Amino acid sequence: MSDDVSTPIPRGRRVEFASAWVVALVVPLLLLLPAFWNAYPLLQYDTGGYLARWYEGYLVPSRSTVFGLYLHFGEPSYFWIDLGVQALATLWILQLTLRLFGIRTPLRILVTCALLTLTTALPWLASMLLTDIFAGLAVLALFVLIVHGNEVSRLERGLLMLFTAFAAATHSATLGVLLGLCLAGLLARPLLGPRIPLAGLGRGFAALAASAVMLLAANFALSGQVAWTPGGVGVAFGRMLQDGIVARYLNDHCATLALKLCPYRDALPATADDFLWGKSMFNTLGRFQGMDDEMGFIALHALADYPLWQAEAALTATAQQLTHVATGEGTNGWIPHTYGIIERYLPGQVAAMRAARQQHWDIDFASINRVHVPVALGSMAMLIAILGHALWRRRLDDVSLLAATVCLALLGNAAICGVISGPHDRYGARMVWLASFVVLIAANRRFGDDQRPQSPSEEVIN
């Protein structure tokens, strides 16, 4: 008979282990509360275009085939598998970031995540069949990969690279923001030295290169074309039309150029959305297939003809986009294209989709945004204050470095989306929750007792 006696697990460890499981179960449920309440994943005006990629077999503007394949994978589960992936990915990246900032106790992680779900767009993004949830998460994943890559396991680094590549492949604007952050890190390295390791930057650039390969491969698999997702020129043209630049160009040049839009120059719609997605002359002239060349020609030559106007319009659009942060744009009961795609290709889901609260106009985003918008704008102000305090002290600690990264991400997102597509609340809401997350990290570090030790590599700003 053996005399060995198993060593009992200390009570404190048992409580911590149980608390960690509570976090792992509760946080995903909180993130998916809007979908559970809706009784079906939330849909958005653009969702149908992604769903159709598997079935239609050709490329359409601004609809990533990578994200289309991801949605197709979840179809048998009525897309609940997709929402589960989104909730678990959000939990993983949030807790990983918190852990690296010394916020490790399950209670603090739970409270931080609960505050995000109550005061930001995060649970609405996680509950929706749209690329937007991956935009903000990718910024955090890239930050960890570059700045803290040596502090996580090899498996975590590999998963972070894979996640970043996938997120960047789901939307060109997300890829643009991430590429901008990598370039900013490269430029800042002479100033910050070891705070931005070369190996980390290499991992970041490698992930973005993998995203390009992933997107090209998906496009080829579904359409037989080795091509980038189309549509950038048309979207930029729409923004110029909205600013009045296209009308001015047509008035100045229709006497000498035979352009398809010349007969319509006095009847152009007021907004890009009305032109591209409404019942406009764009449909009559063949939509993107019939108008891509002309829209590209006008957009390129209008840049050369009116540089100051273009610069002023770009700055205005960027500034406006920074303040467009309301939750729920395009997520109401009127999304006919998405309904039509589900009815055409997924008839078995029509009853569940039609029974959902969203399709009965039961979501009151006006009330929700009475909380979300002030929190978003206040968080951005506090983010600037955190960064300003670091500059005043001339020392960039890890929280300040994250704050600077999020500031650049918000600015880059506003510039790319505002200048190319025009300001929309959807583009702001998908990123601005990051500002609230940084503020919560700073509060935890200021008032918590589980702080991360000061890094010896934190640089004094000269």
Side-chain angles (χ1 to χ4, degrees):
M1 184 174 180
S2 174
D3 293 331
D4 292 343
V5 178
S6 299
T7 304
I9 301 175
R11 183 176 181 277
R13 291 288 301 278
R14 293 201 304 271
V15 171
E16 183 177 352
F17 183 76
S19 300
W21 272 105
V22 170
V23 171
L25 293 172
V26 171
V27 172
L29 293 177
L30 289 175
L31 289 167
L32 296 183
L33 274 179
F36 292 139
W37 171 82
N38 189 52
Y40 190 77
L42 293 174
L43 305 173
Q44 204 266 356
Y45 196 87
D46 292 347
T47 302
Y50 294 107
L51 288 174
R53 300 290 42 83
W54 172 263
Y55 298 97
E56 295 179 347
Y58 57 85
L59 307 181
V60 298
S62 304
R63 301 293 178 262
S64 164
T65 53
V66 171
F67 190 71
L69 289 171
Y70 162 78
L71 291 184
H72 181 69
F73 171 73
E75 283 178 14
S77 68
Y78 283 52
F79 303 105
W80 288 104
I81 286 177
D82 297 296
L83 296 194
V85 169
Q86 290 168 193
L88 292 175
T90 303
L91 169 63
W92 168 51
I93 291 177
L94 291 182
Q95 69 81 27
L96 176 59
T97 307
L98 291 170
R99 186 186 87 201
L100 291 168
F101 279 81
I103 303 163
R104 298 184 177 89
T105 60
L107 179 59
R108 290 192 181 278
I109 294 173
L110 181 60
V111 170
T112 300
C113 293
L115 286 173
L116 282 175
T117 62
L118 290 171
T119 62
T120 75
L122 189 58
W124 297 92
L125 301 176
S127 295
M128 192 179 302
L129 300 181
L130 200 63
T131 64
D132 292 3
I133 181 61
F134 297 112
L137 292 177
V139 171
L140 293 178
L142 185 70
F143 176 83
V144 171
L145 195 60
I146 292 176
V147 178
H148 297 288
N150 294 330
E151 300 172 48
V152 300
S153 68
R154 182 177 298 177
L155 175 62
E156 286 175 315
R157 283 197 301 272
L159 291 174
L160 285 167
M161 289 186 69
L162 179 63
F163 178 84
T164 303
F166 169 76
T170 64
H171 202 285
S172 295
T174 301
L175 175 59
V177 170
L178 299 181
L179 179 59
L181 290 176
C182 285
L183 293 173
L186 196 61
L187 293 174
R189 195 173 185 279
L191 178 64
L192 299 180
R195 300 298 307 284
I196 306 179
L198 274 177
L201 285 170
R203 288 189 290 266
F205 281 113
L208 298 187
S211 77
V213 173
M214 191 182 297
L215 182 59
L216 292 172
N219 286 351
F220 178 76
L222 286 185
S223 71
Q225 301 178 54
V226 180
W228 201 257
T229 304
V233 168
V235 175
F237 173 90
R239 196 272 304 165
M240 293 184 192
L241 179 145
Q242 187 167 293
D243 290 331
I245 295 172
V246 170
R248 171 67 180 275
Y249 183 86
L250 293 174
N251 285 331
D252 289 349
H253 295 281
C254 277
T256 57
L257 294 175
L259 298 172
K260 296 177 184 178
L261 280 173
C262 285
Y264 303 94
R265 59 184 173 180
D266 295 324
L268 295 174
T271 70
D273 287 342
D274 289 339
F275 178 75
L276 294 172
W277 314 115
K279 296 179 181 179
S280 74
M281 66 286 298
F282 186 58
N283 297 331
T284 306
L285 297 174
R287 296 192 60 77
F288 290 97
Q289 185 174 359
M291 287 295 294
D292 256 355
D293 290 342
E294 180 164 312
M295 289 191 297
F297 178 88
I298 293 175
L300 181 62
H301 286 80
L303 279 171
D305 284 6
Y306 318 114
L308 293 180
W309 190 357
Q310 294 276 15
E312 181 183 355
L315 289 172
T316 300
T318 300
Q320 290 176 344
Q321 181 60 71
L322 285 170
T323 63
H324 281 57
V325 292
T327 301
E329 183 185 24
T331 309
N332 50 39
W334 192 81
I335 44 177
H337 181 258
T338 295
Y339 296 158
I341 292 297
I342 291 175
E343 289 168 355
R344 183 184 309 167
Y345 298 120
L346 301 170
Q349 298 195 28
V350 170
M353 181 268 290
R354 290 290 186 187
R357 292 176 183 268
Q358 178 186 1
Q359 279 60 260
H360 295 275
W361 296 81
D362 288 345
I363 305 177
D364 184 5
F365 280 115
S367 297
I368 292 167
N369 282 315
R370 291 192 186 103
V371 175
H372 286 190
V373 171
V375 168
L377 297 177
S379 296
M380 285 195 290
M382 294 181 72
L383 194 69
I384 295 171
I386 291 170
L387 191 54
H389 181 65
L391 294 173
W392 178 72
R393 290 189 310 141
R394 299 178 61 226
R395 184 175 294 277
L396 198 69
D397 62 12
D398 53 350
V399 175
S400 305
L401 186 57
L402 178 60
T405 301
V406 171
C407 279
L408 287 175
L410 291 174
L411 186 60
N413 180 67
I416 292 171
C417 295
V419 172
I420 295 177
S421 300
H424 287 77
D425 281 305
R426 173 197 159 192
Y427 301 139
R430 71 182 181 183
M431 281 282 192
V432 76
W433 65 267
L434 289 171
S436 301
F437 185 50
V438 175
V439 170
L440 288 171
I441 289 176
N444 269 290
R445 291 284 294 273
R446 176 66 178 82
F447 301 108
D449 55 4
D450 51 348
Q451 297 181 13
R452 172 189 171 95
Q454 181 87 351
S455 170
S457 64
E458 288 172 1
E459 295 292 324
V460 173
I461 303 173
N462 294 313

